[in-house]
Amino acid sequence: MVHTQLNMANQAPPKPVVHRGIVKQILSGDAVIIRGVPKGGPPPEKQICLSNVVAPKLARRANPNIEHSVETPDEPYAWEAREFLRKKLIGKDVAFTVEYVVPGSGRAYGCIFLGKDTLAENVTESIVAEGLVEVRRGGIKPSDDQMKLIDLEELAKSAGKGKWSKDPENGRIVRKITWNVENPRNFVDSFHHKPIDAIIEHVRDGCTVRAFLLPSFHHVTVMLSGIKCPMFKREEDKEVPEQFADEAKYFTESRLLQRDVKIILEGVSNTNFLGTIQHPRGNIAEFLLTEGLARCVDWSMGVVTTGTEKLRSAEKAAKEKKLKLWKDYLAAPTIDITEKNLSGKVVEVVNADALVIKINPGDFRRINLASIRPPRLGPFGDDQPKNERRIRPLYDIPYMFEAREFLRRKLIGKKVSVTVDYIKPASDGYPEKTCATVYVGDINVGEALVSKGLATVVRYRQDDDQRSSHYDDLLAAEQRATKNSKGLHSKKPPPIHRVADLSGEPAKSKQFLPFLQRAGRSEAIVEFVASGSRLRLYIPKETCLITFLLAGISCPRSARTGPGGPSASEPYAEEALQFTKEMCLQREVEVEVEALDKGGNFIGWLFVDGVHLSISLVENGLSRMHPTAERSNYYRELQVAEEKAKSASLKVWEHYEEPKNVSTVEETERKTNFKRVFVTEVGKELDFYAQHAESGPQLEQLMEQLRSELEATPPLPGAFTPRSGDLCAAKFVDDQWYRAKIEKVSADSVTVYYIDYGNREDTAAVKLATLPPAFHTLAPQAHHYILACALLPEDEEFRQDAVAAFRRDTLNNQFLLNTEYRNGSIEYVTIQTQEKQGDVAAGLIADGLVLAERRRERKLAKLVVDYSKAQEAAKKNRLNIWRYGDITEDDAREFGYSG
């Protein structure tokens, strides 16, 4: 037994086990974290405290979650000790031994060797020799290792190294740390996006780190600009990682933790900073994206200053390889390469986010600016209920007019290049949209629009790739506009455009006519082209919108739906429309206003860049000269242009033949072709409206169907918005529905014309409803006529008697009608009773109520003679207007006759 004990006493202590690993982090001058080799995930870690030494303590910030917690500063040389180990060990392969493990806490003490075994440099000895830590002195008999450390410490003391320096300032060599930045925004701006030296102190997740900025020692939390990694979510008291969160964190830790890096501060998110971290090998965000461990995020992409293209390209490469986060990624459908890149001339700007581009002759494409959202209508204003106000987007939506004008001035008539980014399929009643990036020269049109604050950028889901190919440039432009408070981002009230719309308002138009006539040539902008000779203009000086008709010409009419149903387009109408559109739509023009028609449309001449539009249309065979041109200053030019087009057989003149000299013989006999009519309304000028008896059953059937349909589905009162010129259904005083046309809309009433009966009425808007399309096809059944060869007396009292008698004799009665002659579109007729026993006009003349008109046409000679005989009989019998004698004589002027 004694022999065994002696052998054990002489036996050497067992050699400690040598472990190997990579240094992950330096906690202080005497504590190191070493990790193993990763196998299918983040590797295991172990904290090793250096045996037999004590390092100065590093500063600690106050813990807001612990009561009475206070901030503690560095002890002298604490930072230097930590930095000595960091620079020597971080990321290096080391060997280490564990000499002692504290029971309970599990803290391990040992030695670290900078190499693969214990023969390499002893880190403890190195830091003691630099005078940065203090050797523990304790125990009855120090070990050989401890004695060696003591000897090294004595040498450091004698050399005055580190904390053993004789310098009186030695005790004050500590860092001055700023744990909280007072004004983060100003702090970021002070660096002007210049790289800052820094050391990464902690990695919270793959895209969030804490760092010390050097040499100021500001402690900052930095989130990587433009990307987001999987996060750690706190559930109850645990942190639960999202898929790939651990891998992303390890990826960043293994490359950045306690490394010297460059940080570019780019923005602020709450109290955190947004920035780019430049690893010695490049941008860490780009590497994370390449590995599929992060995705680009739009909300912070706008602040990236080092170029977003690389980040997007890295993400795209990961998506294509279906790495990690993108393992289930499905690529968006690709666009045919022949349709992806286009070029053409801009012919129209649609609101503020779309362009009509002429690619080739006859090939017009509507292109929407990709990822651009135009200005939107804000809260309803002007103290008007929403359902009673007619919205005009261009003028009523704040900044819509400014956005449209910006694009119009920059693009109309200019050649642009188009890169199609995606096709947005039709949805919610909206058609398919081709969305693209448009360039004029080297300028991205969408980016320019956003940078002016005249549009915003559409925000997408993270997995939505259907966006602009220059989306990040748009985000950066929007951020600049927001920072500079431009346009939509301004805190000032938006500009207001009070524009008077004179279209269909004859009374208002008459008020503006003298100003426009006196102005001579006025500047205008063509807002819309309805046909080759009909345009809608905005006059900036008068802030009004007008309908403008080109004087001196007659253009082919386009297809349209009128009261009589749809009408076909005349030959070359579409060509004339397209010619006028391409020449002047949305361009600045000059106009000379000459007159106003009864519909409130202005008539005059229009010039585009010095080119006379009327002459140009005639010259190209797209219009004929109108007889009214003879009175104009441009008659000779129009005449020459028409002769030129005729001789070349252009367009409307392609089948033209010179008229042959044929002598015309005036009709000498009156022709009769009696129609059976029913008089429905009588006017004040011996005019009346009548329905043709042959179409009576068809009209009755139409009325029954209309009333049945409106009774089956009653219209909602107030749902119909009346507009001048529109067809509608109107409820008459008999509480029945009839077809009508809106002639005038005022504040409290609407003037309607009943197209099948000829009468007019002022009614309330609630008594109107939308006329179903099926009831548009039958032509208006009220035909307008005037009595032939009969005149009303000048005296107002006699006129009233005559009109009353005419109304009494004709209204709601059937007659036989014959057309005697025409004046333009108006038919002058005679009407007789059904038995042909009495001519109505002859009866009125014979009763001394109206005068016989002495017309000179040969064919009317017999009729005029008969009427004259009737008038002579009335004179002789001194009936009505002849009661005081012959009012046609000179001495009868006192009785009111001046004719």
Side-chain angles (χ1 to χ4, degrees):
M1 185 68 178
V2 175
H3 178 70
T4 303
Q5 289 176 345
L6 288 172
N7 286 339
M8 289 180 65
N10 294 329
Q11 192 173 5
K15 283 188 176 182
V17 178
V18 177
H19 305 276
R20 292 179 180 82
I22 299 170
V23 175
K24 171 191 170 183
Q25 186 176 7
I26 309 298
L27 300 178
S28 65
D30 59 356
V32 179
I33 293 180
I34 301 174
R35 63 173 175 83
V37 178
K39 294 180 181 179
E45 300 174 356
K46 190 172 187 67
Q47 179 177 330
I48 300 295
C49 298
L50 299 181
S51 298
N52 303 314
V53 295
V54 178
K57 290 185 173 143
L58 289 165
R60 287 181 178 274
R61 69 188 303 177
N63 189 337
N65 299 319
I66 299 176
E67 192 176 358
H68 306 304
S69 175
V70 294
E71 178 184 321
T72 59
D74 278 344
E75 292 182 357
Y77 285 95
W79 176 252
E80 286 75 6
R82 203 292 297 264
E83 282 297 275
F84 177 82
L85 292 186
R86 185 184 70 82
K87 292 175 180 176
K88 185 178 282 289
L89 298 180
I90 281 294
K92 302 288 181 63
D93 290 317
V94 296
F96 65 95
T97 59
V98 178
E99 299 175 356
Y100 176 68
V101 178
V102 178
S105 68
R107 181 176 293 178
Y109 287 85
C111 288
I112 299 173
F113 303 92
L114 188 54
K116 295 183 179 181
D117 51 35
T118 56
L119 299 177
E121 178 185 346
N122 186 320
V123 173
T124 309
E125 293 175 1
S126 297
I127 196 169
V128 169
E130 291 297 321
L132 297 172
V133 295
E134 190 174 346
V135 178
R136 295 178 186 271
R137 286 174 169 76
I140 300 171
K141 183 181 179 182
S143 65
D144 293 342
D145 292 338
Q146 195 172 4
M147 286 303 299
K148 186 173 182 180
L149 294 177
I150 292 171
D151 292 341
L152 290 170
E153 185 181 57
E154 291 302 324
L155 288 173
K157 285 181 180 180
S158 62
K161 285 187 176 183
K163 63 184 296 183
W164 313 117
S165 172
K166 304 296 190 295
D167 189 340
E169 294 294 323
N170 185 33
R172 289 193 286 273
I173 298 179
V174 294
R175 295 176 296 165
K176 186 178 180 181
I177 302 173
T178 304
W179 294 106
N180 298 301
V181 178
E182 289 296 327
N183 192 326
R185 181 75 263 173
N186 288 348
F187 185 73
V188 170
D189 292 341
S190 68
F191 289 99
H192 306 289
H193 298 151
K194 292 179 181 177
I196 310 163
D197 290 327
I199 299 171
I200 304 301
E201 293 295 319
H202 174 69
V203 176
R204 190 176 77 190
D205 52 56
C207 60
T208 310
V209 301
R210 292 195 184 102
F212 277 124
L213 303 182
L214 302 178
S216 62
F217 286 104
H218 281 88
H219 188 260
V220 295
T221 300
V222 179
M223 303 167 69
L224 295 179
S225 301
I227 72 162
K228 182 182 178 183
C229 292
M231 312 294 283
F232 293 85
K233 295 182 179 178
R234 183 165 288 280
E235 295 181 3
E236 296 178 353
D237 293 332
K238 294 181 181 178
E239 279 197 344
V240 179
E242 294 178 350
Q243 190 178 22
F244 303 113
D246 286 323
E247 288 184 52
K249 180 180 179 181
Y250 172 70
F251 186 92
T252 302
E253 263 186 354
S254 61
R255 288 159 178 80
L256 294 189
L257 186 59
Q258 292 196 334
R259 300 315 204 275
D260 292 310
V261 296
K262 301 278 188 183
I263 295 180
I264 302 172
L265 295 180
E266 296 165 323
V268 175
S269 175
N270 298 325
T271 58
N272 298 331
F273 294 90
L274 298 172
T276 296
I277 300 178
Q278 295 289 354
H279 182 270
R281 293 186 180 178
N283 186 349
I284 189 66
E286 189 179 335
F287 292 122
L288 284 163
L289 290 167
T290 303
E291 293 296 320
L293 291 171
R295 64 177 81 236
C296 292
V297 288
D298 302 330
W299 70 270
S300 64
M301 188 65 80
V303 303
V304 175
T305 59
T306 55
T308 58
E309 297 83 2
K310 291 183 178 179
L311 299 185
R312 294 289 185 187
S313 298
E315 183 186 56
K316 184 179 179 182
K319 285 178 177 179
E320 291 172 351
K321 296 176 184 177
K322 297 193 174 185
L323 298 177
K324 300 196 171 61
L325 288 172
W326 308 110
K327 61 184 185 341
D328 300 321
Y329 171 73
L330 294 175
T334 56
I335 299 169
D336 184 1
I337 191 66
T338 59
E339 292 292 319
K340 188 169 180 63
N341 296 299
L342 309 168
S343 64
K345 184 177 77 171
V346 178
V347 295
E348 184 179 0
V349 176
V350 184
N351 287 335
D353 66 337
L355 310 170
V356 176
I357 299 174
K358 181 182 178 182
I359 306 299
N360 292 305
D363 183 8
F364 294 85
R365 307 276 184 94
R366 175 169 169 148
I367 302 293
N368 287 73
L369 298 178
S371 303
I372 295 296
R373 175 173 285 125
R376 290 180 167 183
L377 187 65
F380 214 79
D382 293 351
D383 300 324
Q384 280 187 291
K386 188 171 183 179
N387 59 353
E388 292 184 14
R389 187 178 173 196
R390 181 182 169 191
I391 300 300
R392 301 174 301 174
L394 185 61
Y395 306 108
D396 293 338
I397 296 178
Y399 292 103
M400 179 68 86
F401 183 75
E402 286 73 16
R404 199 289 302 267
E405 282 297 278
F406 175 82
L407 294 178
R408 185 187 68 80
R409 291 193 181 104
K410 295 283 185 186
L411 300 179
I412 287 295
K414 302 286 179 62
K415 186 173 181 180
V416 296
S417 56
V418 178
T419 301
V420 178
D421 295 319
Y422 58 95
I423 306 292
K424 188 175 181 181
S427 64
D428 300 328
Y430 292 98
E432 180 183 87
K433 292 181 180 179
T434 300
C435 301
T437 300
V438 178
Y439 278 91
V440 54
D442 296 328
I443 299 172
N444 181 338
V445 173
E447 184 182 351
L449 190 66
V450 171
S451 68
K452 295 288 183 182
L454 299 175
T456 54
V457 182
V458 178
R459 297 310 195 266
Y460 297 95
R461 301 190 313 272
Q462 285 187 351
D463 56 347
D464 190 353
D465 289 337
Q466 298 282 75
R467 61 180 69 187
S468 168
S469 53
H470 295 270
Y471 188 72
D472 301 324
D473 295 335
L474 298 180
L475 290 174
E478 185 178 57
Q479 190 165 28
R480 291 195 302 272
T482 303
K483 185 177 179 180
N484 297 325
S485 298
K486 287 189 176 182
L488 291 163
H489 312 287
S490 174
K491 296 178 177 61
K492 297 178 183 177
I496 297 173
H497 301 282
R498 302 191 187 279
V499 178
D501 191 346
L502 308 184
S503 301
E505 299 282 354
K508 286 184 181 178
S509 298
K510 283 180 183 177
Q511 296 174 6
F512 280 81
L513 179 61
F515 300 105
L516 294 174
Q517 285 177 325
R518 284 198 300 267
R521 285 200 183 186
S522 302
E523 292 183 354
I525 298 169
V526 179
E527 294 289 358
F528 180 71
V529 178
S531 69
S533 60
R534 188 183 187 92
L535 308 93
R536 188 169 167 84
L537 307 180
Y538 171 64
I539 312 291
K541 185 178 179 181
E542 304 293 341
T543 60
C544 64
L545 282 167
I546 66 171
T547 299
F548 189 80
L549 308 180
L550 294 179
I553 64 170
S554 176
C555 260
R557 295 191 174 190
S558 302
R560 63 192 185 281
T561 302
S567 61
S569 176
E570 294 180 2
Y572 299 107
E574 289 305 312
E575 286 86 341
L577 169 64
Q578 204 58 50
F579 180 88
T580 302
K581 260 189 176 183
E582 286 192 48
M583 194 166 180
C584 63
L585 180 59
Q586 291 188 339
R587 293 177 187 259
E588 293 171 5
V589 299
E590 291 181 314
V591 293
E592 292 178 7
V593 175
E594 288 196 342
L596 186 74
D597 70 6
K598 63 182 181 180
N601 303 314
F602 293 85
I603 304 170
W605 312 97
L606 186 145
F607 305 85
V608 191
D609 296 329
V611 178
H612 195 302
L613 183 57
S614 296
I615 295 173
S616 190
L617 281 162
V618 172
E619 198 171 40
N620 284 276
L622 293 169
S623 180
R624 290 180 167 87
M625 185 172 62
H626 194 270
T628 56
E630 294 179 12
R631 301 191 299 269
S632 76
N633 297 329
Y634 304 103
Y635 172 62
R636 181 61 187 155
E637 295 169 76
L638 285 167
Q639 194 176 38
V640 169
E642 187 173 70
E643 291 300 326
K644 187 177 176 182
K646 278 182 184 177
S647 61
S649 298
L650 293 177
K651 308 289 193 310
V652 297
W653 305 107
E654 64 178 342
H655 301 302
Y656 174 74
E657 293 181 2
E658 290 290 339
K660 298 175 182 177
N661 292 326
V662 179
S663 59
T664 57
V665 179
E666 185 181 352
E667 292 184 35
T668 58
E669 293 186 7
R670 178 187 173 210
K671 295 181 179 179
T672 56
N673 180 21
F674 288 100
K675 301 176 188 175
R676 194 176 299 278
V677 298
F678 183 81
V679 177
T680 57
E681 178 67 3
V682 175
K684 296 180 180 179
E685 299 292 337
L686 295 182
D687 62 315
F688 62 95
Y689 290 86
Q691 297 172 351
H692 294 174
E694 61 188 23
S695 59
Q698 187 179 4
L699 177 62
E700 288 181 10
Q701 183 181 3
L702 184 80
M703 290 294 101
E704 288 178 6
Q705 292 173 351
L706 173 63
R707 290 159 186 167
S708 298
E709 182 165 333
L710 292 178
E711 284 175 9
T713 56
L716 186 67
F720 176 70
T721 303
R723 285 190 292 269
S724 181
D726 284 1
L727 285 180
C728 67
K731 186 174 281 190
F732 194 51
V733 292
D734 61 358
D735 208 32
Q736 295 292 332
W737 291 100
Y738 296 91
R739 297 194 304 168
K741 181 179 180 180
I742 297 168
E743 291 192 329
K744 183 181 178 183
V745 180
S746 55
D748 54 356
S749 67
V750 180
T751 303
V752 296
Y753 162 63
Y754 292 95
I755 63 175
D756 297 316
Y757 295 88
N759 57 314
R760 288 171 170 80
E761 180 188 30
D762 288 339
T763 187
V766 294
K767 289 189 176 183
L768 305 180
T770 301
L771 184 66
F775 299 97
H776 286 234
T777 54
L778 183 65
Q781 295 299 295
H783 303 275
H784 191 206
Y785 300 108
I786 299 178
L787 280 185
C789 300
L791 294 173
L792 284 171
E794 290 292 322
D795 183 82
E796 186 60 34
E797 185 178 347
F798 290 161
R799 289 173 69 93
Q800 290 178 6
D801 291 343
V803 170
F806 181 47
R807 177 182 289 273
R808 183 180 61 249
D809 293 346
T810 58
L811 187 62
N812 296 329
N813 289 319
Q814 283 195 11
F815 294 93
L816 296 175
L817 177 147
N818 185 58
T819 301
E820 304 296 342
Y821 56 90
R822 299 173 186 268
N823 185 358
S825 61
I826 301 296
E827 295 184 35
Y828 287 77
V829 300
T830 55
I831 52 175
Q832 300 181 11
T833 59
Q834 295 189 66
E835 297 80 14
K836 297 187 179 180
Q837 294 178 351
D839 182 306
V840 171
L844 292 170
I845 294 170
D847 289 339
L849 293 168
V850 299
L851 301 165
E853 182 183 10
R854 295 177 180 177
R855 296 188 66 86
R856 299 179 181 276
E857 294 94 330
R858 290 184 183 180
K859 67 177 182 178
L860 299 176
K862 184 178 184 305
L863 186 66
V864 170
V865 168
D866 291 344
Y867 282 7
S868 297
K869 287 180 180 179
Q871 180 170 291
E872 290 302 320
K875 280 184 189 179
K876 185 176 181 180
N877 296 322
R878 293 184 178 274
L879 298 177
N880 292 311
I881 62 176
W882 311 110
R883 70 184 73 164
Y884 302 114
D886 190 349
I887 63 170
T888 62
E889 294 178 356
D890 293 340
D891 60 352
R893 291 181 186 275
E894 60 186 286
F895 297 103
Y897 183 76
S898 61

